[in-house]
Amino acid sequence: MGTIRHNDRSLELEAGRTLFDYADELRVQVPTSCGRTGSCHECIVEVQQGMEALCPRSPSESFLHDPYRLACQSAVVDDSGDIGFTPLRRKPQILTRATPVKTARLDPMVVRRGDEVVYDQQVVDRYRGHLYGLAMDLGTTTVVIELVDLENGETLAVASFENPQRFGGSDIMNRISYDGGPFQGELHQAIVKGLNFEIRELCKRLRVRRREIYEVAVAGNSTMRDLFFGLDVQSIGQKPYKSLIEHEVLEGKRRSMSLTVEAASLGVQVHPRARIFGLPLIASHVGADTAADLVAIDMERQDEVTMLVDVGTNTEVVVGNGERMMTASCPAGPAFEGGLVKYGMPGCEGAIESIGAVNGRFDYRTIGGVEPQGICGSGLIDLLAELRRTDQMTPKGVFPDRAFEINVVPEHGITLSREDASNLAQAKAANFCGQYIVMRRFGIAPGDVRRLYLAGGFANYVNVANAIEIGFLAPVDRDRIVKVGNAAVQGAKAVLLSRSRRESLERLIGRIEHVELETTPDFFEVFVEGCQFKPMPPTSRSSTATGDICTGLPWTWAPPPW
């Protein structure tokens, strides 16, 4: 008799039962709103083992490919083997700490006027007792939402979940490609339904009425934001890599790259006349999440040279001050966020978040203090730095005796392979290129940066010294580096509470110069140097490598998908 497993819990298999049936018994929360008929497409699970033991896909699963299934449609047909599964939406480690955003005065778009609720002078409802708003950081990998009281500016609760669009690919370019195929619209529906599920759970827990939520502010990169609004994103994946909204602005058809629609038009389950506000994009792949970051760090009032690095599947870099800024987007891919690395995983319970070499073996700490299941981004950075520090890996990612892999946690079978190192090197090189080229174009060296802000949940947990040692971050003096937490959701909250911050953000965006990294004459050389696990050069002059640096690399370089 085989078993079915989720994390460290298991049951005996019985033919004829669905994965949803087992999820109930294993107390695994799998979302659904259709009564398990397969029509809502919400109960997506990742089958980690035993796909062959399940029945063939039903027509309602046609939009999925391996290793994804709908839990309600996946019946066991062979109970002699073992099956392992996990819901597509896991609960990541929630980053609640962030640098407080300064708001001069409370001036939201939604206000109470007597017994009426008014949005920008338009009556949308009668006053029911509260005015709430949602601030959302819509990331490629994870989503964070804050429920905010619009009358006093306080945050009532914070929630997070894995982006349920993962079945369409782990990075932006794959999702753009997926949305251009026969299942266009599935990614839009997935994120809206994922948000609705979290809103229902949040309101149930807090005993808050969904109809008292009158605005949702959405910060996300260009692709994530526009997918959420149901827009065609194909132009973002093709030269010159601009959204439909940016094209319309450039053609003079619209004045702003922000978006505002009624909630009912998107199917978001708040008050039907609530507004969904998409923060403005900046340029190309530099999106509304970066715009929100700039609000959070008060970039408009920065006098000295400031650098912002928001690390993620797409990393954004901004260098400058309130008067002059340059920015670039670096498609780093999912390697540091749980993809392309065999034992990589997001920052969820069971992920190794820090690791160090002690007496010939690795000592580690997991999120939640439970048995390790894999390694998240902060742990991978630690591991790479330790391998270099202990001479167990060359700068080019080669292991001793050209071994194929290194045992990291042998008692749990967790390893790091040469292929893993290759993917991490290229992801690190994208981050390297963005920081190095933008600083060089701006005319500064790392030592000229007076303040380096690290934004995002991933960056918050990174060991800065280790990140600098492998060239993941610019070698800025440690006392000048500030971790600002989830700046995107804080910026989204700020514009929820202040129309003046929205107006100043629009002005700020107009002063930003976008740098297209791929047009840099020595881009290839900079990228190849960035693939090495060593610190970034401390000067602004190019010290790029020659072509022979590729000799002996354990990977084949392929151009990143800018």
Side-chain angles (χ1 to χ4, degrees), residues 301-374:
R301 293 178 174 81
Q302 300 288 345
D303 296 322
E304 298 181 314
V305 176
T306 300
M307 185 172 179
L308 166 75
V309 179
D310 190 335
V311 180
T313 307
N314 255 44
T315 293
E316 281 75 41
V317 177
V318 181
V319 173
N321 52 38
E323 295 301 318
R324 176 184 176 231
M325 284 163 282
M326 287 186 175
T327 187
S329 178
C330 327
F336 283 100
E337 294 204 318
L340 304 179
V341 175
K342 184 175 182 181
Y343 291 100
M345 64 180 291
C348 303
E349 186 175 82
I352 294 174
E353 60 177 342
S354 64
I355 191 167
V358 179
N359 298 325
R361 58 175 287 123
F362 292 108
D363 191 17
Y364 58 85
R365 183 178 70 245
T366 64
I367 296 174
V370 299
E371 295 294 316
Q373 299 174 30

Side-chain angles (χ1 to χ4, degrees), residues 101-118:
V101 178
K102 297 177 183 178
T103 302
R105 64 188 180 91
L106 206 57
D107 181 29
M109 298 290 286
V110 179
V111 296
R112 177 186 179 186
R113 191 171 63 192
D115 292 330
E116 297 175 329
V117 176
V118 177

